Amino acid sequence: MDVFSPQDVRVYGTGSRAAGAAWTRSADGWSETGLPFRIARTSARSARDIWALTFENRLYHQDGAGWRPVPLDDVLPSGKRARPPGHEVPARHDRRHSRRRLDHGRGRRRRPGRGTDGTRTEPMGPNDLHLSSLLLHGDADGRRWTSESLMEKTGRLSPFGAPIIDADGGVWLIGSTDVNAYESALAHRTAKGTWTSTRIRASGFSLFEARAITRIPGTTRFLAAGMDDEKGALLSTP
């Protein structure tokens, strides 16, 4: 969902024909528009600058004139490229400020088998291709992209938390200290490319898996929501 004002709200989902759809609220009420893809997540700077990632790992940009595809296969390894319908994998993205950043990964859960979306759910080993985590950098128009491998810098990225972008161009991500991303870490990249990573510890938890992070407006403090197999917690940095 994107909210631009009380009179301009966009909600994305699946329509009556199992195809993508967008619902727009205006002063006249709600209206529905069909889309040629199903949106997994969006991020927007304005109603004429919306970025959308589909369940097939395809990126689209809305510039006010319509949605256009943004090719990314040239900067992704073969195991991370866009999947045809029916082979969806979870992915995350964030679009803010003059630089674009997109992080790719693969979801996982602790119980073996397959999830309802067809993805693998058993813990993975260090040689599994889908463990690779990448940060993609785009120019101001999102037309030229480069990729940066993060496994040795942040550990495996969380499939849940979207990046947080600093005003000076830095980025915060949920990384990890173990191969299956059960023990979360708060990772930071400066605008010049220097990385730091600190394990997220919670009192009473042997491990803490962060599912979301956010920054308290007007401060340098963060809130992190997460869990282990039995309970959850909301943490705050000092």
Side-chain angles (χ1 to χ4, degrees), residues 10 46-52 60-68:
R10 318 289 172 88
S46 71
R48 293 180 175 272
D49 190 0
I50 305 172
W51 296 81
Y60 288 84
H61 183 223
Q62 166 67 269
D63 59 5
W67 291 98
R68 66 172 178 85

Side-chain angles (χ1 to χ4, degrees), residues 1 9-11 23-26 28-32:
M1 179 170 61
V9 180
R10 318 289 172 88
V11 179
W23 292 265
T24 302
R25 184 186 187 279
S26 65
D28 297 325
W30 288 93
S31 60
E32 178 180 347

Side-chain angles (χ1 to χ4, degrees), residues 205-220:
F205 289 73
S206 58
L207 59 86
F208 186 80
E209 182 182 2
R211 293 296 187 98
I213 57 172
T214 188
R215 185 164 40 201
I216 300 174
T219 75
T220 58

Side-chain angles (χ1 to χ4, degrees), residues 29-48:
W30 288 93
S31 60
E32 178 180 347
T33 303
L35 296 174
F37 46 82
R38 293 186 303 128
I39 293 177
R41 182 174 295 185
T42 66
S43 185
R45 294 191 297 176
S46 71
R48 293 180 175 272

Side-chain angles (χ1 to χ4, degrees), residues 187-208:
H188 180 249
R189 181 189 190 275
T190 68
K192 294 182 178 180
T194 301
W195 285 96
T196 56
S197 182
T198 305
R199 181 181 171 185
I200 300 175
R201 299 180 183 273
S203 177
F205 289 73
S206 58
L207 59 86
F208 186 80

Side-chain angles (χ1 to χ4, degrees), residues 67-91:
W67 291 98
R68 66 172 178 85
V70 180
L72 295 176
D73 282 354
D74 288 346
V75 295
L76 292 173
S78 59
K80 293 286 186 181
R81 293 176 184 173
R83 310 290 176 106
H87 296 79
E88 294 89 346
V89 297

